[in-house]
Amino acid sequence: MPGLHSILQAKIEHVMEPFDVAIVGGGPAGSSCAAFCTRAGLRTLVLEREKFPREKVCGDCLNPSCWAVLNRLDLANRTRALPHAKLERVEFIAIGGRRVIVDLPSGEECELAVKRSLFDDLLLKRAGELGAQIHEETTVTALTNNSGWKIETAGGENFVAQVLVGADGRNSTVARLCNLLPRPQRERIALQSHIPLPDNFRNRVVLQLLSHGYVGLSPVNNHELNVCLVAKPGNISTLKTWATKRFAVSSGHAWRTITPLTRAAIPPARENLFLIGDAARVIEPFTGEGIFYAMRSGELAANAIARIIRGEDRQLAMRKFGRAYAEMYRGRLWINHLARAAVLSPRIASFLVRFAPLSSAIMRLLTKEIAVRDD
Ligand SMILES: Cc1cc2nc3c(=O)[nH]c(=O)nc-3n(C[C@H](O)[C@H](O)[C@H](O)COP(=O)(O)OP(=O)(O)OC[C@H]3O[C@@H](n4cnc5c(N)ncnc54)[C@H](O)[C@@H]3O)c2cc1C
């Protein structure tokens, strides 16, 4: 047991040792940002509420655009070495059972499904290897900005940093404490779990529309299937009952849950504060792109923060970040809106899949847009 003196000493040291950047949240956004910040020579702190490895409500699918960022983090081979499933095609199933099947990119940089417990742990460890100071089981509870940030945690520790990054997900505490968090839209809820992989499931992602919501399925290794259920609050228990029967899981089976699935975006940068990943913009789960946006926005924020800490023109660094951030989403948000409309109105979306003569071509085009990017 540490004595009172050593606890007080540790607290004083945190206050005495200012960090260049403090990152709240060690998910894909926070860990990537931390890894790029430390590589740029910044004194980097990560404060993460959970103890890793931990699971997370997610479809576990890594969009092929993640490879570019993983290569820059020297993590591509280590990601491939994790237990995973290579996803070869996506199958859209409408209400009534009509299927549209679209091939996914093949080769080394294909779409991979990896459990978030493994993937997020790898990213966080990488940030630590590169020199970031990481504190797990540390929940940020209060912030003071007075030409630099004082960060307080539930355990009573204090930290000081020049720049603060909110990478703490869709219900961002940083955004809330800074009075930036928009009112959430609780129009839908997600449930997620891993269950035994049914025989002959094969390497496919299934996105199935049902009258009371939608289901996303993908294998994550050779024995587990990721199941995501998304529905309006009034329909979620019906959908859960459907899944319990469909996959023969026990009625007491544990499901993780998350909400909101939609909320307004927050501008990602101001003065000495950055918001990245889901903390800034929540992406429609149906598209399976959130992890990419989290990692890439972390990288872009790290570039800007490194310029600011080196004493380069702050306004210029912020403008460059703003442009690169907007570029990342350019021409893509319509897919997000379309996916949201489809899952909010599964009957209309199913009608289009079943009867539109061009439905296969449209689905192929959409999948290509999502899974094959140039950057
Ligand atoms: C149902 C569903 C399915 C999805 N499927 C996919 C998919 O297949 N592929 C894909 O790319 N994306 C998918 N997404 C989106 C993806 O999960 C997110 O976009 C991604 O996790 C965002 O990463 P992040 O680092 O911004 O936030 P998160 O992954 O949420 O990480 C935030 C971290 O901050 C920590 N934290 C929170 N508050 C505090 C605090 N106060 N103090 C300290 N730490 C804190 C949390 O513990 C957490 O570890 C899905 C989302 C949903 C809801």
mmCIF file of all heavy atoms in Angstrom, residues 24-30 47-50 52 54 56-61 116 138-140 167-170 173 190 228 258 261 276-278 285 288-292 294, ligand 1:
data_model
loop_
_atom_site.group_PDB
_atom_site.id
_atom_site.type_symbol
_atom_site.label_atom_id
_atom_site.label_comp_id
_atom_site.label_asym_id
_atom_site.label_seq_id
_atom_site.Cartn_x
_atom_site.Cartn_y
_atom_site.Cartn_z
ATOM 1 N N VAL A 24 -7.776 12.461 -24.009
ATOM 2 C CA VAL A 24 -8.767 11.757 -23.183
ATOM 3 C C VAL A 24 -9.423 10.693 -24.052
ATOM 4 O O VAL A 24 -10.103 11.010 -25.038
ATOM 5 C CB VAL A 24 -9.823 12.743 -22.623
ATOM 6 C CG1 VAL A 24 -10.800 11.991 -21.710
ATOM 7 C CG2 VAL A 24 -9.146 13.878 -21.872
ATOM 8 N N GLY A 25 -9.214 9.417 -23.701
ATOM 9 C CA GLY A 25 -9.761 8.310 -24.482
ATOM 10 C C GLY A 25 -8.662 7.585 -25.245
ATOM 11 O O GLY A 25 -7.877 8.218 -25.957
ATOM 12 N N GLY A 26 -8.621 6.267 -25.076
ATOM 13 C CA GLY A 26 -7.573 5.467 -25.731
ATOM 14 C C GLY A 26 -8.135 4.516 -26.762
ATOM 15 O O GLY A 26 -7.582 3.442 -26.999
ATOM 16 N N GLY A 27 -9.266 4.892 -27.413
ATOM 17 C CA GLY A 27 -9.800 4.106 -28.536
ATOM 18 C C GLY A 27 -8.952 4.379 -29.781
ATOM 19 O O GLY A 27 -7.864 4.963 -29.682
ATOM 20 N N PRO A 28 -9.435 3.990 -30.964
ATOM 21 C CA PRO A 28 -8.637 4.183 -32.182
ATOM 22 C C PRO A 28 -8.237 5.645 -32.421
ATOM 23 O O PRO A 28 -7.123 5.922 -32.871
ATOM 24 C CB PRO A 28 -9.565 3.693 -33.299
ATOM 25 C CG PRO A 28 -10.527 2.778 -32.625
ATOM 26 C CD PRO A 28 -10.688 3.257 -31.221
ATOM 27 N N ALA A 29 -9.130 6.592 -32.092
ATOM 28 C CA ALA A 29 -8.794 8.004 -32.310
ATOM 29 C C ALA A 29 -7.678 8.439 -31.363
ATOM 30 O O ALA A 29 -6.646 8.967 -31.788
ATOM 31 C CB ALA A 29 -10.040 8.877 -32.103
ATOM 32 N N GLY A 30 -7.877 8.186 -30.058
ATOM 33 C CA GLY A 30 -6.916 8.645 -29.058
ATOM 34 C C GLY A 30 -5.565 7.960 -29.194
ATOM 35 O O GLY A 30 -4.517 8.609 -29.123
ATOM 36 N N LEU A 47 -5.315 9.428 -21.103
ATOM 37 C CA LEU A 47 -6.135 9.063 -19.947
ATOM 38 C C LEU A 47 -7.312 8.246 -20.449
ATOM 39 O O LEU A 47 -8.119 8.736 -21.245
ATOM 40 C CB LEU A 47 -6.627 10.326 -19.223
ATOM 41 C CG LEU A 47 -5.504 11.253 -18.734
ATOM 42 C CD1 LEU A 47 -6.065 12.547 -18.177
ATOM 43 C CD2 LEU A 47 -4.637 10.551 -17.699
ATOM 44 N N GLU A 48 -7.395 6.996 -20.024
ATOM 45 C CA GLU A 48 -8.426 6.075 -20.527
ATOM 46 C C GLU A 48 -9.220 5.516 -19.349
ATOM 47 O O GLU A 48 -8.652 5.015 -18.389
ATOM 48 C CB GLU A 48 -7.764 4.953 -21.350
ATOM 49 C CG GLU A 48 -8.621 3.737 -21.631
ATOM 50 C CD GLU A 48 -9.962 4.030 -22.325
ATOM 51 O OE1 GLU A 48 -9.961 4.721 -23.351
ATOM 52 O OE2 GLU A 48 -11.004 3.557 -21.817
ATOM 53 N N ARG A 49 -10.540 5.589 -19.473
ATOM 54 C CA ARG A 49 -11.434 5.167 -18.383
ATOM 55 C C ARG A 49 -11.351 3.671 -18.077
ATOM 56 O O ARG A 49 -11.395 3.242 -16.934
ATOM 57 C CB ARG A 49 -12.865 5.529 -18.803
ATOM 58 C CG ARG A 49 -13.922 5.273 -17.779
ATOM 59 C CD ARG A 49 -15.258 5.744 -18.283
ATOM 60 N NE ARG A 49 -15.623 5.113 -19.548
ATOM 61 C CZ ARG A 49 -16.586 5.525 -20.357
ATOM 62 N NH1 ARG A 49 -17.283 6.608 -20.050
ATOM 63 N NH2 ARG A 49 -16.859 4.895 -21.471
ATOM 64 N N GLU A 50 -11.213 2.858 -19.136
ATOM 65 C CA GLU A 50 -11.281 1.398 -18.955
ATOM 66 C C GLU A 50 -9.902 0.797 -18.765
ATOM 67 O O GLU A 50 -8.898 1.439 -19.008
ATOM 68 C CB GLU A 50 -11.896 0.747 -20.201
ATOM 69 C CG GLU A 50 -13.226 1.307 -20.619
ATOM 70 C CD GLU A 50 -14.356 0.927 -19.692
ATOM 71 O OE1 GLU A 50 -14.249 -0.141 -19.065
ATOM 72 O OE2 GLU A 50 -15.324 1.698 -19.577
ATOM 73 N N PHE A 52 -7.676 -1.950 -20.491
ATOM 74 C CA PHE A 52 -7.609 -2.718 -21.733
ATOM 75 C C PHE A 52 -6.987 -4.080 -21.456
ATOM 76 O O PHE A 52 -6.186 -4.192 -20.538
ATOM 77 C CB PHE A 52 -6.762 -1.945 -22.761
ATOM 78 C CG PHE A 52 -7.515 -0.866 -23.483
ATOM 79 C CD1 PHE A 52 -8.528 -0.150 -22.864
ATOM 80 C CD2 PHE A 52 -7.200 -0.534 -24.789
ATOM 81 C CE1 PHE A 52 -9.228 0.854 -23.526
ATOM 82 C CE2 PHE A 52 -7.884 0.463 -25.467
ATOM 83 C CZ PHE A 52 -8.899 1.153 -24.834
ATOM 84 N N ARG A 54 -10.482 -4.343 -23.669
ATOM 85 C CA ARG A 54 -11.918 -4.285 -23.387
ATOM 86 C C ARG A 54 -12.687 -4.355 -24.711
ATOM 87 O O ARG A 54 -12.191 -3.923 -25.745
ATOM 88 C CB ARG A 54 -12.266 -2.996 -22.615
ATOM 89 C CG ARG A 54 -11.878 -1.677 -23.329
ATOM 90 C CD ARG A 54 -13.011 -1.078 -24.092
ATOM 91 N NE ARG A 54 -12.690 0.168 -24.783
ATOM 92 C CZ ARG A 54 -12.226 0.247 -26.013
ATOM 93 N NH1 ARG A 54 -11.966 -0.838 -26.703
ATOM 94 N NH2 ARG A 54 -12.026 1.429 -26.590
ATOM 95 N N LYS A 56 -16.082 -3.438 -27.132
ATOM 96 C CA LYS A 56 -16.744 -2.161 -27.420
ATOM 97 C C LYS A 56 -17.883 -2.459 -28.377
ATOM 98 O O LYS A 56 -17.744 -3.352 -29.211
ATOM 99 C CB LYS A 56 -15.653 -1.278 -28.048
ATOM 100 C CG LYS A 56 -16.025 -0.141 -28.904
ATOM 101 C CD LYS A 56 -16.010 1.156 -28.113
ATOM 102 C CE LYS A 56 -16.609 2.317 -28.844
ATOM 103 N NZ LYS A 56 -17.868 2.093 -29.523
ATOM 104 N N VAL A 57 -18.986 -1.743 -28.285
ATOM 105 C CA VAL A 57 -20.094 -1.959 -29.227
ATOM 106 C C VAL A 57 -19.633 -1.538 -30.618
ATOM 107 O O VAL A 57 -19.432 -0.344 -30.876
ATOM 108 C CB VAL A 57 -21.346 -1.160 -28.826
ATOM 109 C CG1 VAL A 57 -22.440 -1.320 -29.889
ATOM 110 C CG2 VAL A 57 -21.861 -1.636 -27.478
ATOM 111 N N CYS A 58 -19.425 -2.509 -31.492
ATOM 112 C CA CYS A 58 -18.876 -2.230 -32.826
ATOM 113 C C CYS A 58 -19.068 -3.484 -33.668
ATOM 114 O O CYS A 58 -19.170 -4.591 -33.128
ATOM 115 C CB CYS A 58 -17.378 -1.901 -32.700
ATOM 116 S SG CYS A 58 -16.614 -1.403 -34.252
ATOM 117 N N GLY A 59 -19.103 -3.314 -34.999
ATOM 118 C CA GLY A 59 -19.172 -4.468 -35.894
ATOM 119 C C GLY A 59 -17.822 -5.132 -36.075
ATOM 120 O O GLY A 59 -17.717 -6.155 -36.753
ATOM 121 N N ASP A 60 -16.745 -4.520 -35.540
ATOM 122 C CA ASP A 60 -15.382 -5.077 -35.565
ATOM 123 C C ASP A 60 -14.760 -5.104 -36.972
ATOM 124 O O ASP A 60 -13.742 -5.784 -37.176
ATOM 125 C CB ASP A 60 -15.330 -6.509 -34.995
ATOM 126 C CG ASP A 60 -15.669 -6.577 -33.517
ATOM 127 O OD1 ASP A 60 -15.477 -5.574 -32.811
ATOM 128 O OD2 ASP A 60 -16.121 -7.647 -33.068
ATOM 129 N N CYS A 61 -15.372 -4.421 -37.954
ATOM 130 C CA CYS A 61 -14.845 -4.489 -39.327
ATOM 131 C C CYS A 61 -13.893 -3.332 -39.591
ATOM 132 O O CYS A 61 -14.251 -2.172 -39.372
ATOM 133 C CB CYS A 61 -15.988 -4.422 -40.345
ATOM 134 S SG CYS A 61 -17.089 -5.818 -40.217
ATOM 135 N N ARG A 116 -12.535 -5.775 -31.180
ATOM 136 C CA ARG A 116 -12.020 -4.479 -30.708
ATOM 137 C C ARG A 116 -11.129 -4.639 -29.473
ATOM 138 O O ARG A 116 -10.239 -3.824 -29.248
ATOM 139 C CB ARG A 116 -13.184 -3.530 -30.423
ATOM 140 C CG ARG A 116 -13.907 -3.035 -31.670
ATOM 141 C CD ARG A 116 -13.057 -2.054 -32.469
ATOM 142 N NE ARG A 116 -12.739 -0.856 -31.738
ATOM 143 C CZ ARG A 116 -13.488 0.239 -31.692
ATOM 144 N NH1 ARG A 116 -14.586 0.289 -32.391
ATOM 145 N NH2 ARG A 116 -13.125 1.298 -30.989
ATOM 146 N N THR A 138 -8.676 5.496 -15.606
ATOM 147 C CA THR A 138 -8.556 6.891 -15.184
ATOM 148 C C THR A 138 -9.621 7.695 -15.935
ATOM 149 O O THR A 138 -9.507 7.903 -17.141
ATOM 150 C CB THR A 138 -7.134 7.418 -15.516
ATOM 151 O OG1 THR A 138 -6.182 6.556 -14.886
ATOM 152 C CG2 THR A 138 -6.941 8.831 -15.026
ATOM 153 N N THR A 139 -10.649 8.103 -15.211
ATOM 154 C CA THR A 139 -11.788 8.800 -15.825
ATOM 155 C C THR A 139 -11.649 10.299 -15.615
ATOM 156 O O THR A 139 -11.519 10.758 -14.473
ATOM 157 C CB THR A 139 -13.107 8.317 -15.187
ATOM 158 O OG1 THR A 139 -13.169 6.904 -15.333
ATOM 159 C CG2 THR A 139 -14.321 8.948 -15.858
ATOM 160 N N VAL A 140 -11.678 11.039 -16.713
ATOM 161 C CA VAL A 140 -11.590 12.499 -16.606
ATOM 162 C C VAL A 140 -12.949 13.043 -16.156
ATOM 163 O O VAL A 140 -13.989 12.679 -16.708
ATOM 164 C CB VAL A 140 -11.164 13.107 -17.958
ATOM 165 C CG1 VAL A 140 -11.309 14.622 -17.944
ATOM 166 C CG2 VAL A 140 -9.740 12.700 -18.266
ATOM 167 N N ALA A 167 -10.907 12.488 -27.252
ATOM 168 C CA ALA A 167 -11.028 11.296 -28.118
ATOM 169 C C ALA A 167 -11.871 10.288 -27.367
ATOM 170 O O ALA A 167 -11.624 9.090 -27.402
ATOM 171 C CB ALA A 167 -9.638 10.737 -28.421
ATOM 172 N N ASP A 168 -12.867 10.805 -26.645
ATOM 173 C CA ASP A 168 -13.590 9.971 -25.688
ATOM 174 C C ASP A 168 -14.978 9.565 -26.176
ATOM 175 O O ASP A 168 -15.902 9.399 -25.382
ATOM 176 C CB ASP A 168 -13.645 10.640 -24.307
ATOM 177 C CG ASP A 168 -14.042 12.107 -24.357
ATOM 178 O OD1 ASP A 168 -14.122 12.665 -25.466
ATOM 179 O OD2 ASP A 168 -14.290 12.696 -23.297
ATOM 180 N N GLY A 169 -15.099 9.418 -27.501
ATOM 181 C CA GLY A 169 -16.283 8.761 -28.046
ATOM 182 C C GLY A 169 -17.522 9.633 -28.147
ATOM 183 O O GLY A 169 -17.498 10.831 -27.886
ATOM 184 N N ARG A 170 -18.626 8.976 -28.537
ATOM 185 C CA ARG A 170 -19.856 9.707 -28.910
ATOM 186 C C ARG A 170 -20.476 10.476 -27.747
ATOM 187 O O ARG A 170 -21.169 11.461 -27.971
ATOM 188 C CB ARG A 170 -20.861 8.758 -29.555
ATOM 189 C CG ARG A 170 -21.269 7.594 -28.712
ATOM 190 C CD ARG A 170 -22.033 6.575 -29.530
ATOM 191 N NE ARG A 170 -21.181 5.971 -30.551
ATOM 192 C CZ ARG A 170 -21.577 5.654 -31.771
ATOM 193 N NH1 ARG A 170 -22.814 5.873 -32.143
ATOM 194 N NH2 ARG A 170 -20.748 5.107 -32.626
ATOM 195 N N THR A 173 -17.010 13.270 -22.717
ATOM 196 C CA THR A 173 -16.976 14.067 -21.481
ATOM 197 C C THR A 173 -16.297 15.407 -21.745
ATOM 198 O O THR A 173 -16.707 16.442 -21.211
ATOM 199 C CB THR A 173 -16.189 13.300 -20.382
ATOM 200 O OG1 THR A 173 -16.807 12.040 -20.184
ATOM 201 C CG2 THR A 173 -16.143 14.057 -19.084
ATOM 202 N N ALA A 190 -28.191 0.551 -30.096
ATOM 203 C CA ALA A 190 -27.480 -0.609 -30.651
ATOM 204 C C ALA A 190 -27.186 -1.606 -29.534
ATOM 205 O O ALA A 190 -26.874 -1.209 -28.406
ATOM 206 C CB ALA A 190 -26.180 -0.162 -31.308
ATOM 207 N N CYS A 228 -24.556 -7.366 -34.367
ATOM 208 C CA CYS A 228 -24.998 -6.020 -33.962
ATOM 209 C C CYS A 228 -26.481 -5.888 -34.292
ATOM 210 O O CYS A 228 -26.910 -6.249 -35.396
ATOM 211 C CB CYS A 228 -24.254 -4.934 -34.737
ATOM 212 S SG CYS A 228 -22.574 -4.693 -34.212
ATOM 213 N N ILE A 258 -25.230 0.653 -26.637
ATOM 214 C CA ILE A 258 -24.738 2.026 -26.813
ATOM 215 C C ILE A 258 -25.819 2.896 -27.444
ATOM 216 O O ILE A 258 -26.631 2.417 -28.223
ATOM 217 C CB ILE A 258 -23.444 2.055 -27.665
ATOM 218 C CG1 ILE A 258 -22.634 3.308 -27.373
ATOM 219 C CG2 ILE A 258 -23.732 1.965 -29.143
ATOM 220 C CD1 ILE A 258 -21.220 3.255 -27.893
ATOM 221 N N LEU A 261 -26.940 6.820 -31.631
ATOM 222 C CA LEU A 261 -26.305 6.455 -32.901
ATOM 223 C C LEU A 261 -26.196 7.666 -33.807
ATOM 224 O O LEU A 261 -25.511 7.615 -34.830
ATOM 225 C CB LEU A 261 -27.104 5.351 -33.590
ATOM 226 C CG LEU A 261 -27.155 4.030 -32.842
ATOM 227 C CD1 LEU A 261 -27.514 2.896 -33.763
ATOM 228 C CD2 LEU A 261 -25.868 3.716 -32.124
ATOM 229 N N ILE A 276 -11.671 14.531 -31.777
ATOM 230 C CA ILE A 276 -11.406 13.608 -32.888
ATOM 231 C C ILE A 276 -12.282 12.365 -32.773
ATOM 232 O O ILE A 276 -12.847 12.091 -31.716
ATOM 233 C CB ILE A 276 -9.899 13.217 -32.948
ATOM 234 C CG1 ILE A 276 -9.451 12.615 -31.605
ATOM 235 C CG2 ILE A 276 -9.042 14.414 -33.329
ATOM 236 C CD1 ILE A 276 -8.012 12.119 -31.616
ATOM 237 N N GLY A 277 -12.369 11.616 -33.883
ATOM 238 C CA GLY A 277 -13.154 10.380 -33.892
ATOM 239 C C GLY A 277 -14.622 10.665 -33.597
ATOM 240 O O GLY A 277 -15.166 11.724 -33.956
ATOM 241 N N ASP A 278 -15.261 9.745 -32.908
ATOM 242 C CA ASP A 278 -16.691 9.873 -32.591
ATOM 243 C C ASP A 278 -16.983 11.104 -31.733
ATOM 244 O O ASP A 278 -18.116 11.600 -31.737
ATOM 245 C CB ASP A 278 -17.179 8.638 -31.816
ATOM 246 C CG ASP A 278 -17.526 7.471 -32.729
ATOM 247 O OD1 ASP A 278 -17.255 7.555 -33.934
ATOM 248 O OD2 ASP A 278 -18.067 6.469 -32.221
ATOM 249 N N PRO A 285 -23.302 3.406 -38.157
ATOM 250 C CA PRO A 285 -22.616 2.115 -38.053
ATOM 251 C C PRO A 285 -22.720 1.263 -39.314
ATOM 252 O O PRO A 285 -21.785 0.548 -39.669
ATOM 253 C CB PRO A 285 -23.313 1.404 -36.890
ATOM 254 C CG PRO A 285 -24.325 2.320 -36.341
ATOM 255 C CD PRO A 285 -24.271 3.621 -37.068
ATOM 256 N N GLY A 288 -19.718 1.102 -41.560
ATOM 257 C CA GLY A 288 -18.469 0.473 -41.100
ATOM 258 C C GLY A 288 -17.236 1.306 -41.393
ATOM 259 O O GLY A 288 -16.188 0.769 -41.762
ATOM 260 N N GLU A 289 -17.324 2.618 -41.213
ATOM 261 C CA GLU A 289 -16.178 3.476 -41.512
ATOM 262 C C GLU A 289 -15.635 4.215 -40.287
ATOM 263 O O GLU A 289 -14.660 4.943 -40.389
ATOM 264 C CB GLU A 289 -16.585 4.551 -42.528
ATOM 265 C CG GLU A 289 -16.868 4.021 -43.906
ATOM 266 C CD GLU A 289 -17.013 5.172 -44.885
ATOM 267 O OE1 GLU A 289 -17.989 5.932 -44.783
ATOM 268 O OE2 GLU A 289 -16.138 5.318 -45.743
ATOM 269 N N GLY A 290 -16.319 4.065 -39.127
ATOM 270 C CA GLY A 290 -15.990 4.891 -37.959
ATOM 271 C C GLY A 290 -14.543 4.747 -37.494
ATOM 272 O O GLY A 290 -13.919 5.729 -37.087
ATOM 273 N N ILE A 291 -14.000 3.528 -37.545
ATOM 274 C CA ILE A 291 -12.628 3.317 -37.050
ATOM 275 C C ILE A 291 -11.640 4.066 -37.949
ATOM 276 O O ILE A 291 -10.691 4.680 -37.471
ATOM 277 C CB ILE A 291 -12.290 1.809 -36.992
ATOM 278 C CG1 ILE A 291 -13.223 1.117 -36.001
ATOM 279 C CG2 ILE A 291 -10.837 1.591 -36.617
ATOM 280 C CD1 ILE A 291 -13.134 -0.411 -36.004
ATOM 281 N N PHE A 292 -11.895 4.020 -39.260
ATOM 282 C CA PHE A 292 -11.005 4.759 -40.155
ATOM 283 C C PHE A 292 -11.015 6.253 -39.827
ATOM 284 O O PHE A 292 -9.963 6.876 -39.669
ATOM 285 C CB PHE A 292 -11.385 4.559 -41.632
ATOM 286 C CG PHE A 292 -10.739 5.604 -42.509
ATOM 287 C CD1 PHE A 292 -9.376 5.570 -42.749
ATOM 288 C CD2 PHE A 292 -11.485 6.664 -43.024
ATOM 289 C CE1 PHE A 292 -8.756 6.569 -43.499
ATOM 290 C CE2 PHE A 292 -10.875 7.655 -43.767
ATOM 291 C CZ PHE A 292 -9.516 7.609 -44.008
ATOM 292 N N ALA A 294 -11.784 7.680 -37.118
ATOM 293 C CA ALA A 294 -11.174 7.912 -35.800
ATOM 294 C C ALA A 294 -9.645 7.970 -35.933
ATOM 295 O O ALA A 294 -9.006 8.916 -35.459
ATOM 296 C CB ALA A 294 -11.598 6.795 -34.842
HETATM 297 C C1 LIG B 1 -23.428 -0.823 -33.652
HETATM 298 C C2 LIG B 1 -22.148 -0.219 -34.163
HETATM 299 C C3 LIG B 1 -21.387 -0.909 -35.105
HETATM 300 C C4 LIG B 1 -20.229 -0.340 -35.617
HETATM 301 N N1 LIG B 1 -19.481 -1.043 -36.517
HETATM 302 C C5 LIG B 1 -18.352 -0.514 -37.020
HETATM 303 C C6 LIG B 1 -17.537 -1.271 -37.909
HETATM 304 O O1 LIG B 1 -17.789 -2.447 -38.212
HETATM 305 N N2 LIG B 1 -16.419 -0.662 -38.422
HETATM 306 C C7 LIG B 1 -16.087 0.617 -38.094
HETATM 307 O O2 LIG B 1 -15.086 1.131 -38.617
HETATM 308 N N3 LIG B 1 -16.825 1.337 -37.225
HETATM 309 C C8 LIG B 1 -17.932 0.801 -36.665
HETATM 310 N N4 LIG B 1 -18.640 1.506 -35.731
HETATM 311 C C9 LIG B 1 -18.160 2.827 -35.312
HETATM 312 C C10 LIG B 1 -16.940 2.686 -34.382
HETATM 313 O O3 LIG B 1 -17.232 1.799 -33.323
HETATM 314 C C11 LIG B 1 -16.557 4.065 -33.823
HETATM 315 O O4 LIG B 1 -16.584 5.009 -34.874
HETATM 316 C C12 LIG B 1 -15.157 4.050 -33.202
HETATM 317 O O5 LIG B 1 -15.113 3.218 -32.061
HETATM 318 C C13 LIG B 1 -14.735 5.465 -32.807
HETATM 319 O O6 LIG B 1 -13.483 5.427 -32.168
HETATM 320 P P1 LIG B 1 -13.104 6.555 -31.093
HETATM 321 O O7 LIG B 1 -11.692 6.278 -30.697
HETATM 322 O O8 LIG B 1 -13.482 7.888 -31.603
HETATM 323 O O9 LIG B 1 -14.077 6.293 -29.847
HETATM 324 P P2 LIG B 1 -14.243 4.994 -28.931
HETATM 325 O O10 LIG B 1 -13.854 3.772 -29.658
HETATM 326 O O11 LIG B 1 -15.618 5.106 -28.375
HETATM 327 O O12 LIG B 1 -13.189 5.218 -27.768
HETATM 328 C C14 LIG B 1 -13.391 6.204 -26.795
HETATM 329 C C15 LIG B 1 -12.594 5.811 -25.539
HETATM 330 O O13 LIG B 1 -12.710 6.889 -24.579
HETATM 331 C C16 LIG B 1 -12.833 6.351 -23.291
HETATM 332 N N5 LIG B 1 -13.493 7.346 -22.451
HETATM 333 C C17 LIG B 1 -14.777 7.780 -22.526
HETATM 334 N N6 LIG B 1 -15.018 8.715 -21.587
HETATM 335 C C18 LIG B 1 -13.860 8.887 -20.905
HETATM 336 C C19 LIG B 1 -13.484 9.721 -19.814
HETATM 337 N N7 LIG B 1 -14.332 10.571 -19.228
HETATM 338 N N8 LIG B 1 -12.210 9.637 -19.343
HETATM 339 C C20 LIG B 1 -11.333 8.787 -19.910
HETATM 340 N N9 LIG B 1 -11.640 7.971 -20.960
HETATM 341 C C21 LIG B 1 -12.890 8.031 -21.447
HETATM 342 C C22 LIG B 1 -13.662 5.084 -23.501
HETATM 343 O O14 LIG B 1 -13.456 4.159 -22.455
HETATM 344 C C23 LIG B 1 -13.142 4.572 -24.854
HETATM 345 O O15 LIG B 1 -12.106 3.614 -24.706
HETATM 346 C C24 LIG B 1 -19.808 0.953 -35.184
HETATM 347 C C25 LIG B 1 -20.559 1.640 -34.221
HETATM 348 C C26 LIG B 1 -21.716 1.073 -33.708
HETATM 349 C C27 LIG B 1 -22.496 1.816 -32.663
#
